[in-house]
Amino acid sequence: MTDEAILGAILAGRLADLAGQGDLTAGRWVDIARLAGRLGVAPLLYRQLIQHAGAANLPAEVAAALRHAYYQCHAANAHLFHQLSGILSRFEAAGIPVILLKGAHLADAVYRDAGARPMGDLDILVPRENVLQGIEILRVAGFAPYQDFAPEVELSLAKHMPPFQKSGVIIELHWNIVAPELPVKVDVSGLWARAERFETEQVRGLALCREDLLLHLCIHTAQHHFNEQMRTLCDIREVTALHGSSLDWDGIGMRAQDWHAARGVFLALHLAADLLDAPVPAEVLGRLRPADYSDEVLELARRRVFQEQPPLSDNFIALMQGGAQKGRWRAFWDAMLPPPEAMRRLYGLPPGLWAALLKYPGHWWDRIRRYGGRAQTLLRGDPRLSGEAATQQRLTEWLDQ
């Protein structure tokens, strides 16, 4: 078994699969732990090994590193939950409803273990009409945005405001769960109508109903083209394992179609079942499976999950791999000359045309600095980078059909 297969087996609780591997060497365990760290699942790896009596075979230094990751995650999440509780109280006092998204809900209510699911930030969803008031609540609480921004521009071009931060805590204020330029179109009013109240020892509030939660996770990982999305795939497994018997799979399928997200939802569920034994009924996958699906698509997504290099931008892929000359020029134009509104969002510029115009030379240099070396490598025919670019392009084309 490969390191990736061993990691997936442990995360799925299938330690019996390792019996035929004999005693893994210390170096092999180091590689597996390093892989888990890169993919953001080291705390969960530790919990699974402890729960399934697999930690006894770990080299001492690997056990210590994974134990440290688990308890560090637990401490960090305790701090985040403390801050979140205060923020939720302020929104409640202002009469603004809040839905907790992703980790803020998953860690405590789904994993039921604050040490197993890291949270990089706190994602909260508020009604669009309350966003400006929400910004003011965060500012009064001492949170400051990473960059200057124009709320009216963000509301028209994004799904959340630029991150706000205070003492290492990052909050993203959402009014949607998908960006407006994407083909996926979520019925946000339906999310609010179906939202469910929950309460744990750490926090209480609203969360997406279990079907919408699963759809959000699938859409999220597909929008990232599955690049290093093992943690989200683990989220999908935990949600289906916890709620599988009570999930409205027909409703999930209908909403996936209505939101134009069916391909990404199918592939995310299929990949979670393939890698992590997520209990997704075979008949559900059969109903969701697109007519042009082949196992090659699953393999492309699997490669993306474990890809070591940072993902290439869509414009870079189109420029270097695109077949049509017109498409290549369009990609070059979009990368080098984004509209002024996008420039203001990208660099946190104040309102006004001149600020954006004066920033273009710096933007060009940034594009050359970030992608010039990789472009040269790709043009020289580097097999690894060429393979990653081709994988990303083919997967993107399949998902976007």
Side-chain angles (χ1 to χ4, degrees):
M1 295 174 68
T2 64
D3 292 347
E4 292 82 1
I6 291 173
L7 176 62
I10 298 172
L11 293 175
R14 290 188 279 103
L15 270 71
D17 287 8
L18 307 185
Q21 301 298 303
D23 292 332
L24 296 176
T25 65
R28 194 82 186 277
W29 275 115
V30 167
D31 290 341
I32 293 167
R34 186 179 294 119
L35 176 64
R38 178 168 65 80
L39 298 177
V41 294
L44 181 58
L45 174 62
Y46 179 74
R47 188 189 77 169
Q48 295 296 80
L49 287 169
I50 291 296
Q51 286 188 347
H52 297 279
N57 297 324
L58 289 178
E61 64 274 17
V62 174
L66 291 177
R67 187 184 308 111
H68 175 76
Y70 175 85
Y71 285 107
Q72 186 179 49
C73 176
H74 201 291
N77 283 352
H79 176 58
L80 288 172
F81 279 126
H82 175 74
Q83 293 290 330
L84 177 62
S85 180
I87 289 295
L88 292 178
S89 296
R90 291 175 181 267
F91 276 86
E92 185 177 14
I96 299 175
V98 174
I99 291 178
L100 303 184
L101 300 175
K102 295 190 297 185
H105 169 61
L106 289 165
D108 209 27
V110 175
Y111 283 82
R112 299 176 179 179
D113 182 350
R117 208 301 187 166
M119 293 189 291
D121 54 21
L122 298 171
D123 296 273
I124 60 175
L125 180 75
V126 301
R128 186 185 180 93
E129 61 269 22
N130 296 126
V131 169
L132 296 182
Q133 193 177 357
I135 292 172
E136 186 58 27
I137 289 174
L138 292 178
R139 290 187 187 275
V140 170
F143 286 82
Y146 268 31
Q147 60 187 41
D148 293 331
F149 65 95
E152 65 277 7
V153 174
E154 301 297 326
L155 282 166
S156 64
L157 296 176
K159 61 180 178 178
H160 61 74
M161 289 294 158
F164 282 72
Q165 67 90 26
K166 170 188 172 185
S167 303
V169 176
I170 301 171
I171 292 181
E172 287 187 351
L173 184 66
H174 291 247
W175 56 93
N176 203 332
I177 60 172
V178 293
E181 75 272 11
L182 296 174
V184 177
K185 303 300 177 187
V186 171
D187 173 21
V188 179
S189 62
L191 298 182
W192 283 103
R194 293 184 294 270
E196 300 174 345
R197 184 162 295 279
F198 78 98
E199 183 171 355
T200 67
E201 292 183 4
Q202 299 280 1
V203 69
R204 62 183 174 87
L206 289 173
L208 297 176
C209 76
R210 57 197 61 177
E211 291 80 14
D212 289 343
L213 171 61
L214 186 58
L215 284 165
H216 183 205
L217 293 171
C218 292
I219 291 169
H220 175 82
T221 190
Q223 286 175 354
H224 287 274
H225 301 132
F226 301 93
N227 182 251
E228 293 194 339
Q229 289 296 302
M230 177 61 88
R231 186 163 69 192
T232 310
L233 293 172
C234 287
D235 294 341
I236 292 171
R237 179 187 182 276
E238 292 293 323
V239 171
T240 53
L242 181 64
H243 298 304
S245 61
S246 61
L247 283 169
D248 177 9
W249 287 107
D250 289 338
I252 289 171
M254 290 177 59
R255 260 170 257 164
Q257 294 287 351
D258 291 343
W259 296 355
H260 307 288
R263 285 175 174 263
V265 170
F266 162 75
L267 191 52
L269 291 174
H270 192 9
L271 191 59
D274 179 73
L275 290 178
L276 300 166
D277 292 349
V280 182
E283 60 270 21
V284 171
L285 291 177
R287 291 197 300 269
L288 288 172
R289 181 180 288 108
D292 64 345
Y293 169 78
S294 70
D295 288 341
E296 180 195 17
V297 175
L298 184 68
E299 179 57 29
L300 293 174
R302 188 188 292 114
R303 287 184 210 163
R304 293 281 291 165
V305 170
F306 297 107
Q307 180 178 308
E308 291 191 37
Q309 294 298 319
L312 301 167
S313 73
D314 290 340
N315 284 330
F316 182 88
I317 291 290
L319 181 61
M320 303 307 297
Q321 295 284 109
Q325 189 71 15
K326 184 178 179 180
R328 289 191 173 201
W329 277 111
R330 180 65 185 176
F332 178 81
W333 183 273
D334 290 345
M336 302 304 283
L337 289 170
E341 295 83 3
M343 290 289 288
R344 287 201 291 272
R345 290 190 65 240
L346 187 60
Y347 295 104
L349 302 175
L353 180 61
W354 278 105
L357 292 177
L358 292 173
K359 189 65 178 178
Y360 278 108
H363 173 75
W364 299 334
W365 170 246
D366 178 67
R367 299 297 98 172
I368 293 171
R369 178 182 58 81
R370 292 177 64 183
Y371 297 112
R374 300 179 82 182
Q376 290 181 12
T377 301
L378 190 57
L379 288 170
R380 287 197 300 266
D382 177 83
R384 180 190 54 76
L385 189 58
S386 296
E388 291 176 1
T391 294
Q392 183 171 334
Q393 183 185 30
R394 280 151 49 202
L395 184 59
T396 300
E397 290 173 349
W398 187 86
L399 287 168
D400 289 348
Q401 289 182 51

